[in-house]
Structure formats: C-alpha cells, structure tokens
C-alpha cells in the first residue's frame, strides 16, 4: 500500500455579475495541474449565475455542502457589492479561512475577504480601481500583481489571476509543477500595448474608466464607511 | 437622425472538450469593449457543452441560425480533433469566412480552420505542440503570439488568446479602445517563471508534456496525413 497524498481541493466563489476572467484564468491554471485535485464552484445554491459579460456558470456545491478547502478563492467583479453584506457568504469565508492552507482572492474579491474581517493587519491588493478601499477593512493595501502575507494571497485586477494561479501551484506543489502549467497554457504573454496599469496607461483613459466605474465605486465607499468588524 | 455604426458581431465556436481559457480570455477582452457588440457562442445545437477542465458553456446560437459575423473565432483544445472531420463545422466556417472581416483562431483552433481549407498559403500559428501540423493543410506555420496574414489572425496556445483579443480590438476600433480593454483587465502580466514556451521551459518538462499529449497528437497527425482539400 503506497501513501497517496489527499487530492488538493480548490474552491472558487461564483456569484451573479462575477467578472468571468477573474475566475476562469486561475481556474484553468489549477485545473491543468497534473495531480489529483478537485475544483469547486461555490454559491448559496446550485442555480446557474450569469457573469457580467454573459457567460453563465453553474455552481458545483453550496456553502452548506462545501468540504474544507485547501485553497479558498474569491474572484471579483461588479457583483462583489452585494456580497459585502451577505452574512452567509461572510460566514462561509470565515469558516473556510479557519482551516484553509491559503485564503485568496483575485481582483475586487479581496474586498469580500476584507468585509469578512479576514484582512486585519494583512498586506493585500485588489483591482487598481479599488485597492485603496482595503484600508477601510484594516488591511494594508499594496501594489503588486500577487501579494502574499502568510496564508493570505491576493491578486490584482482580472488577468493577475493567472499569475496568482501559477504562484499558488508553486507554493503547493513546487516550481516544476507550476512551470508545467505555464508551458501547457503557453503563458509567455506579449501585450500589444503597455496600458495595463494606471501608471502606464494614457491619463485620459484612466479618467474615462474611473468615470465609467464611479457608481460601483461609490457603493463600495459607502459600505466601507459603515463597516465595523462583526 | 445620427448614423449609428452597426454593432460588431463576434462569434466563438464552442464544443465538447474545448480548452476553456482559449475561449474565456478573448471573450472577456472583446466583451469589455465599450461599444455596441454582440458576442455569440456557436455550436450544432443549444445543449450545454463541457470544457476539458470542467466548466460548462451554453451555446447562444447554432450554425444554422448564426448571423454573418464580423469576427469568427475557433478556440482549441483536445476537442478540436472530432471537429476536423465534422462537415457542418467546416461548412459553417467556410460560409462565415466568405464574408467575415476577420477569420481567427486561438491555440489548436487553427487546425480546424486548416481542415476547412481556409489556410492554404496563409501564415498561421497554433499551440506549440501542434504548430507544425498546419503545414499539412497548406498553411505556412509561423512562431508568434499573434500571427496576422490579411484577414486571417491566429493566436498561439491558450493565453495567447488575450493578446489576440487586444490585437483584434485594435484592428477594429483603434489603439485607444484596445488600451481601455487592457487597463480594465489590468493586463500587465508578470509570470512568476519563464517557462511559457518550449524554448524557455526546462527540456525535461517539454518532453513530459509532449509525452502526455502524444495520443491526441497522433490522432491529429493521422487526420492531416489523410486530408485532401474538399
């Protein structure tokens, strides 16, 4: 009888108005890992949820049924706003965080970890348009594509989830396993422009996107202003 | 009455055993474009299809019902193999290619364009593990993240679809529109390793992945060997 390591378990929160690439990027990285694993999509119930850009995701388990996870991950999107005050979401994250090896997020998913009271004194990041809001939850906002502070690993906006996926696989399974995922996904990015951050994008464009996101941002500001750790 | 440009129409093929990030990467880029557009997921019928790594996609239209597209795109994956000999798939692509502004693929989706006879004399690329096979369809295999030859734009493996999405938006709507998508998706990639291509990955890892993909590769070789332009 050989010792088989227990399969790794990953759980991504899914929800209405999720930003689909926040989920599908890291989902794909951990899913091409050549090792026993399960990858859950977790929500209140099993009814399909629609992402902001249209693709529909079907949860594979519920908050009540989800087993203890090695890695719990909260993607972001416009749809995080209602999650900030959703007691069942926050209780699920607190329960998983008590035993998970890594408590993680992509993009504005970190706001939900913050609302759950999990980021107090923790260095963390988010989408560039929301990063500063983390301070309202007692976190220490950091620039960076992937920010690690102990068991907490938070990624920047959307596509940072791919870098995050590789980083978490390296943590769990070693460098070679992560490199295998990278090679499989041919991840040798070559953006045709250098406009991926507010620091490098044309200033007019940053202003335009801030204006487009203003209503969502104000909701978040109002939530943070009223937040007290439960 | 002002002249409104017609909404842009994008159509991505979906199919069983699609590599989900081949689709979801460029889907997200074109979907965050701030302009009127429709993004279709096209298949034989509207029944949900399961990607190799588990996420299920529901087609939004069928080969019969899909309107003429500005951009038709074939993602890749293990599931392209049955498509190479699927008469309805090939007929759909030939019909769309006759009028589309851009005929495109991500990853091994280019093999399907090849099987449809659309890449004769055309410079094209694919996932690193399959790129050479394009020659069997009369194409000119090229290295490169995004390869453009006239109306034909083909991307390398999986994550190259994000670079492709930005390139196609730049073609259709200009640099600023593409930069806005890039900033929204915070696409300033920072891979933790340099193992995204066979040229940069450890040799042992390349051999391992080639071995893992051998059965799929042999099926493709056999198809190419027997292929004649219909």
């Amino acid at each position: 009888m050989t010792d088989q390591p227990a399969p790794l378990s990953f759980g991504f929160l899914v929800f209405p108005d999720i930003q689909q690439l926040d989920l599908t990027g890291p989902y794909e990285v951990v899913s091409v890992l050549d090792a026993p694993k399960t990858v859950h999509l977790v929500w209140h119930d099993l009814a399909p949820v629609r992402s902001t850009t249209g693709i529909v995701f079907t949860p594979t388990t519920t908050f009540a049924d989800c087993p203890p996870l090695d890695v719990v991950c909260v993607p972001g999107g416009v749809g995080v706003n209602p999650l900030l005050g959703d007691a069942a979401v926050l209780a699920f994250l607190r329960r998983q965080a008590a035993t998970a090896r890594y408590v993680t997020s992509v993009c504005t998913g970190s706001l939900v970890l913050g609302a759950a009271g999990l980021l107090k004194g923790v260095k963390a990041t988010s989408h560039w348009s929301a990063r500063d809001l983390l301070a309202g939850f007692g976190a220490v906002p950091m620039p960076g594509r992937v920010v690690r502070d102990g068991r907490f690993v938070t990624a920047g906006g959307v596509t940072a989830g791919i870098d995050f996926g590789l980083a978490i696989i390296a943590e769990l399974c070693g460098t070679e396993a992560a490199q295998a995922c990278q090679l499989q996904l041919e991840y040798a990015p070559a953006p045709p422009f250098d406009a991926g951050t507010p620091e490098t994008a044309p200033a007019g464009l940053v202003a335009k996107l801030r204006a487009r996101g203003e209503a969502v941002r104000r909701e978040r500001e109002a939530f943070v202003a009223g937040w007290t750790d439960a």
Side-chain angles (χ1 to χ4, degrees), chain A residues 80-123:
Chain A
V80 302
N81 289 18
L83 307 191
L84 299 174
D86 184 322
V89 166
L90 304 180
F92 169 77
L93 292 174
R94 287 189 202 108
R95 190 170 75 244
Q96 288 288 345
T99 56
R101 291 168 69 182
Y102 294 98
V103 179
T104 73
S105 62
V106 177
C107 199
T108 50
S110 54
L111 299 179
V112 189
L113 295 180
L118 294 167
L119 296 183
K120 284 170 285 179
V122 173
K123 289 180 199 133

Side-chain angles (χ1 to χ4, degrees), chain A residues 2 11 14 24 28 38 56 59 72 98 107 127 129 135 163 171 195 206 212 220 225 230:
Chain A
T2 47
V14 290
T24 52
E28 196 74 337
T38 52
V56 167
V72 60
C107 199
H127 190 274
S129 65
D163 299 319
E171 288 284 336
V206 179
R212 207 196 297 166
R220 290 169 181 170

